[in-house]
Amino acid sequence: MRERRRYPRVDFECVRVYLPHHKEPLPVKDLSLQGCFIKMKDPPPPGTILNFELELPGVGRIPVRGMVMHQGGLERSGAGILFLEIEGEFHHVYARFLKALQLMKEARELYDKIILSEE
């Protein structure tokens, strides 16, 4: 099956989303330059516009406007979000955060390779 995404996804489950009308932050399953997947029990229908804050660990919260593109299935209850706007200069912050996540992933893969070779 051909991948339809323009940007690679990074799994990093420490990012949280703060949505209006939700008391607790919601976990994010994966991130890309254009969107994310928010885990939630009753996701809004596709086409819904959401304004929320994306909390980046070690960085802070950034304001985002996004649109629900799809709802997850039974195994992945949640909503796939397309970012429509990341306010002001915060899109630069987000892009650098993603770059750092990719470097962390590469460091972890190298670490695992070294550990496996020592066994």
Side-chain angles (χ1 to χ4, degrees), residues 56-90:
L56 309 177
V59 177
R61 293 185 190 184
I62 61 171
V64 178
R65 187 168 162 257
M67 181 171 57
V68 177
M69 297 302 291
H70 64 87
Q71 296 173 324
L74 295 175
E75 295 174 4
R76 286 184 56 174
S77 182
I81 306 296
L82 171 67
F83 296 156
L84 300 175
E85 179 184 15
I86 297 177
E87 282 188 27
E89 297 297 313
F90 287 113

Short mmCIF file of all heavy atoms in Angstrom, two decimals, residues 56-90:
data_model
loop_
_atom_site.label_atom_id
_atom_site.label_comp_id
_atom_site.label_asym_id
_atom_site.label_seq_id
_atom_site.Cartn_x
_atom_site.Cartn_y
_atom_site.Cartn_z
N LEU A 56 4.73 20.80 24.04
CA LEU A 56 5.96 20.14 23.65
C LEU A 56 6.86 20.00 24.88
O LEU A 56 7.23 21.02 25.48
CB LEU A 56 6.69 20.94 22.57
CG LEU A 56 5.83 21.35 21.36
CD1 LEU A 56 6.66 22.19 20.40
CD2 LEU A 56 5.27 20.12 20.67
N PRO A 57 7.19 18.78 25.31
CA PRO A 57 7.99 18.59 26.51
C PRO A 57 9.33 19.33 26.43
O PRO A 57 10.02 19.28 25.41
CB PRO A 57 8.23 17.08 26.57
CG PRO A 57 7.27 16.48 25.62
CD PRO A 57 6.86 17.52 24.65
N GLY A 58 9.66 20.02 27.50
CA GLY A 58 10.92 20.76 27.54
C GLY A 58 10.89 22.07 26.79
O GLY A 58 11.86 22.81 26.78
N VAL A 59 9.77 22.37 26.12
CA VAL A 59 9.66 23.59 25.32
C VAL A 59 8.52 24.46 25.84
O VAL A 59 8.73 25.59 26.25
CB VAL A 59 9.43 23.26 23.82
CG1 VAL A 59 9.23 24.54 23.01
CG2 VAL A 59 10.58 22.44 23.27
N GLY A 60 7.30 23.96 25.80
CA GLY A 60 6.13 24.72 26.25
C GLY A 60 4.94 24.47 25.33
O GLY A 60 4.98 23.60 24.46
N ARG A 61 3.90 25.25 25.52
CA ARG A 61 2.67 25.10 24.72
C ARG A 61 2.68 26.05 23.53
O ARG A 61 3.07 27.21 23.65
CB ARG A 61 1.45 25.42 25.58
CG ARG A 61 1.21 24.43 26.68
CD ARG A 61 -0.09 24.78 27.37
NE ARG A 61 -0.26 24.00 28.58
CZ ARG A 61 -1.35 24.07 29.34
NH1 ARG A 61 -2.36 24.87 29.01
NH2 ARG A 61 -1.45 23.33 30.42
N ILE A 62 2.21 25.52 22.40
CA ILE A 62 2.08 26.36 21.21
C ILE A 62 0.64 26.29 20.71
O ILE A 62 0.02 25.24 20.73
CB ILE A 62 3.08 25.96 20.10
CG1 ILE A 62 2.87 24.52 19.64
CG2 ILE A 62 4.51 26.16 20.55
CD1 ILE A 62 3.67 24.15 18.41
N PRO A 63 0.09 27.43 20.27
CA PRO A 63 -1.29 27.46 19.78
C PRO A 63 -1.39 26.93 18.35
O PRO A 63 -0.59 27.28 17.48
CB PRO A 63 -1.66 28.95 19.83
CG PRO A 63 -0.35 29.68 19.83
CD PRO A 63 0.69 28.75 20.36
N VAL A 64 -2.38 26.05 18.14
CA VAL A 64 -2.57 25.39 16.85
C VAL A 64 -4.04 25.43 16.46
O VAL A 64 -4.92 25.33 17.31
CB VAL A 64 -2.11 23.91 16.92
CG1 VAL A 64 -2.34 23.19 15.60
CG2 VAL A 64 -0.65 23.81 17.32
N ARG A 65 -4.28 25.57 15.18
CA ARG A 65 -5.62 25.43 14.62
C ARG A 65 -5.54 24.26 13.65
O ARG A 65 -4.67 24.23 12.77
CB ARG A 65 -6.02 26.71 13.89
CG ARG A 65 -7.45 26.73 13.41
CD ARG A 65 -7.80 28.16 12.97
NE ARG A 65 -8.97 28.10 12.14
CZ ARG A 65 -8.98 28.18 10.82
NH1 ARG A 65 -7.87 28.37 10.16
NH2 ARG A 65 -10.10 28.09 10.15
N GLY A 66 -6.44 23.29 13.82
CA GLY A 66 -6.38 22.11 12.98
C GLY A 66 -7.75 21.62 12.59
O GLY A 66 -8.77 22.06 13.12
N MET A 67 -7.78 20.70 11.62
CA MET A 67 -9.03 20.12 11.16
C MET A 67 -8.96 18.61 11.31
O MET A 67 -7.96 17.99 10.95
CB MET A 67 -9.29 20.48 9.69
CG MET A 67 -10.61 19.91 9.17
SD MET A 67 -11.08 20.51 7.52
CE MET A 67 -9.69 20.06 6.52
N VAL A 68 -10.05 18.04 11.82
CA VAL A 68 -10.15 16.58 11.93
C VAL A 68 -10.27 16.02 10.51
O VAL A 68 -11.19 16.37 9.78
CB VAL A 68 -11.36 16.16 12.79
CG1 VAL A 68 -11.49 14.64 12.82
CG2 VAL A 68 -11.26 16.74 14.19
N MET A 69 -9.33 15.14 10.16
CA MET A 69 -9.34 14.52 8.83
C MET A 69 -9.98 13.15 8.86
O MET A 69 -10.60 12.73 7.89
CB MET A 69 -7.91 14.42 8.29
CG MET A 69 -7.25 15.77 8.08
SD MET A 69 -8.16 16.84 6.95
CE MET A 69 -7.91 16.00 5.40
N HIS A 70 -9.79 12.44 9.97
CA HIS A 70 -10.37 11.11 10.11
C HIS A 70 -10.46 10.74 11.58
O HIS A 70 -9.81 11.33 12.43
CB HIS A 70 -9.56 10.06 9.34
CG HIS A 70 -8.17 9.87 9.88
ND1 HIS A 70 -7.88 9.00 10.90
CD2 HIS A 70 -7.00 10.44 9.53
CE1 HIS A 70 -6.59 9.04 11.16
NE2 HIS A 70 -6.03 9.91 10.35
N GLN A 71 -11.30 9.75 11.85
CA GLN A 71 -11.42 9.19 13.19
C GLN A 71 -10.73 7.84 13.18
O GLN A 71 -10.81 7.11 12.19
CB GLN A 71 -12.88 9.03 13.59
CG GLN A 71 -13.62 10.34 13.67
CD GLN A 71 -15.11 10.14 13.89
OE1 GLN A 71 -15.70 9.21 13.36
NE2 GLN A 71 -15.70 11.02 14.67
N GLY A 72 -10.06 7.53 14.29
CA GLY A 72 -9.38 6.25 14.40
C GLY A 72 -10.37 5.11 14.55
O GLY A 72 -11.53 5.32 14.91
N GLY A 73 -9.91 3.90 14.29
CA GLY A 73 -10.75 2.72 14.43
C GLY A 73 -10.81 2.26 15.87
O GLY A 73 -10.44 3.00 16.80
N LEU A 74 -11.25 1.04 16.09
CA LEU A 74 -11.39 0.50 17.43
C LEU A 74 -10.06 0.42 18.17
O LEU A 74 -9.99 0.65 19.37
CB LEU A 74 -12.03 -0.90 17.37
CG LEU A 74 -13.47 -0.93 16.84
CD1 LEU A 74 -13.94 -2.38 16.72
CD2 LEU A 74 -14.39 -0.15 17.76
N GLU A 75 -9.00 0.06 17.47
CA GLU A 75 -7.70 -0.09 18.11
C GLU A 75 -7.05 1.26 18.41
O GLU A 75 -6.29 1.37 19.35
CB GLU A 75 -6.77 -0.92 17.23
CG GLU A 75 -7.24 -2.35 17.07
CD GLU A 75 -6.39 -3.11 16.08
OE1 GLU A 75 -5.39 -2.57 15.57
OE2 GLU A 75 -6.73 -4.27 15.81
N ARG A 76 -7.33 2.24 17.60
CA ARG A 76 -6.74 3.57 17.79
C ARG A 76 -7.85 4.60 17.86
O ARG A 76 -8.11 5.32 16.92
CB ARG A 76 -5.79 3.91 16.64
CG ARG A 76 -4.50 3.18 16.69
CD ARG A 76 -3.57 3.60 15.60
NE ARG A 76 -3.33 5.04 15.61
CZ ARG A 76 -2.47 5.66 14.83
NH1 ARG A 76 -1.77 4.97 13.98
NH2 ARG A 76 -2.29 6.95 14.87
N SER A 77 -8.48 4.66 18.98
CA SER A 77 -9.56 5.63 19.16
C SER A 77 -8.97 7.03 19.23
O SER A 77 -8.13 7.32 20.08
CB SER A 77 -10.32 5.30 20.45
OG SER A 77 -11.39 6.20 20.61
N GLY A 78 -9.40 7.87 18.33
CA GLY A 78 -8.89 9.23 18.32
C GLY A 78 -9.16 9.92 16.99
O GLY A 78 -10.00 9.48 16.21
N ALA A 79 -8.44 11.02 16.79
CA ALA A 79 -8.65 11.84 15.60
C ALA A 79 -7.33 12.19 14.93
O ALA A 79 -6.39 12.63 15.60
CB ALA A 79 -9.39 13.12 15.98
N GLY A 80 -7.29 12.00 13.61
CA GLY A 80 -6.17 12.45 12.81
C GLY A 80 -6.39 13.92 12.47
O GLY A 80 -7.42 14.28 11.93
N ILE A 81 -5.43 14.76 12.84
CA ILE A 81 -5.56 16.21 12.70
C ILE A 81 -4.59 16.74 11.65
O ILE A 81 -3.41 16.41 11.66
CB ILE A 81 -5.25 16.92 14.04
CG1 ILE A 81 -6.10 16.36 15.18
CG2 ILE A 81 -5.40 18.43 13.91
CD1 ILE A 81 -7.58 16.58 15.04
N LEU A 82 -5.10 17.56 10.74
CA LEU A 82 -4.28 18.30 9.79
C LEU A 82 -4.10 19.70 10.37
O LEU A 82 -5.09 20.38 10.67
CB LEU A 82 -4.97 18.39 8.42
CG LEU A 82 -4.32 19.32 7.40
CD1 LEU A 82 -2.96 18.77 6.96
CD2 LEU A 82 -5.24 19.51 6.21
N PHE A 83 -2.86 20.15 10.54
CA PHE A 83 -2.61 21.50 11.04
C PHE A 83 -2.95 22.51 9.95
O PHE A 83 -2.45 22.43 8.84
CB PHE A 83 -1.16 21.69 11.46
CG PHE A 83 -0.73 20.84 12.62
CD1 PHE A 83 0.60 20.53 12.79
CD2 PHE A 83 -1.63 20.36 13.56
CE1 PHE A 83 1.03 19.76 13.85
CE2 PHE A 83 -1.23 19.59 14.63
CZ PHE A 83 0.11 19.29 14.78
N LEU A 84 -3.81 23.43 10.27
CA LEU A 84 -4.15 24.52 9.36
C LEU A 84 -3.27 25.74 9.63
O LEU A 84 -2.92 26.47 8.70
CB LEU A 84 -5.63 24.90 9.51
CG LEU A 84 -6.63 23.79 9.22
CD1 LEU A 84 -8.05 24.26 9.53
CD2 LEU A 84 -6.52 23.32 7.78
N GLU A 85 -2.96 25.94 10.91
CA GLU A 85 -2.15 27.09 11.29
C GLU A 85 -1.49 26.83 12.64
O GLU A 85 -2.13 26.34 13.56
CB GLU A 85 -3.02 28.35 11.39
CG GLU A 85 -2.26 29.58 11.81
CD GLU A 85 -3.16 30.80 11.99
OE1 GLU A 85 -4.39 30.65 12.07
OE2 GLU A 85 -2.59 31.90 12.07
N ILE A 86 -0.21 27.15 12.70
CA ILE A 86 0.50 27.24 13.97
C ILE A 86 0.85 28.71 14.11
O ILE A 86 1.55 29.27 13.27
CB ILE A 86 1.76 26.35 14.00
CG1 ILE A 86 1.36 24.88 13.86
CG2 ILE A 86 2.55 26.58 15.27
CD1 ILE A 86 2.51 23.91 13.80
N GLU A 87 0.30 29.34 15.15
CA GLU A 87 0.34 30.80 15.27
C GLU A 87 1.75 31.39 15.23
O GLU A 87 2.69 30.83 15.79
CB GLU A 87 -0.32 31.23 16.58
CG GLU A 87 -1.83 31.22 16.51
CD GLU A 87 -2.46 31.83 17.74
OE1 GLU A 87 -1.83 32.69 18.40
OE2 GLU A 87 -3.59 31.44 18.04
N GLY A 88 1.83 32.53 14.56
CA GLY A 88 3.05 33.34 14.56
C GLY A 88 4.30 32.57 14.20
O GLY A 88 4.31 31.77 13.27
N GLU A 89 5.33 32.80 14.98
CA GLU A 89 6.62 32.17 14.74
C GLU A 89 6.72 30.79 15.39
O GLU A 89 7.75 30.13 15.30
CB GLU A 89 7.74 33.07 15.26
CG GLU A 89 7.83 34.41 14.55
CD GLU A 89 8.16 34.26 13.07
OE1 GLU A 89 9.09 33.50 12.73
OE2 GLU A 89 7.47 34.89 12.24
N PHE A 90 5.64 30.34 16.03
CA PHE A 90 5.67 29.05 16.71
C PHE A 90 5.87 27.87 15.74
O PHE A 90 6.30 26.80 16.15
CB PHE A 90 4.41 28.81 17.54
CG PHE A 90 4.36 29.64 18.79
CD1 PHE A 90 3.41 30.63 18.93
CD2 PHE A 90 5.26 29.42 19.82
CE1 PHE A 90 3.36 31.39 20.09
CE2 PHE A 90 5.22 30.17 20.98
CZ PHE A 90 4.26 31.17 21.11
#
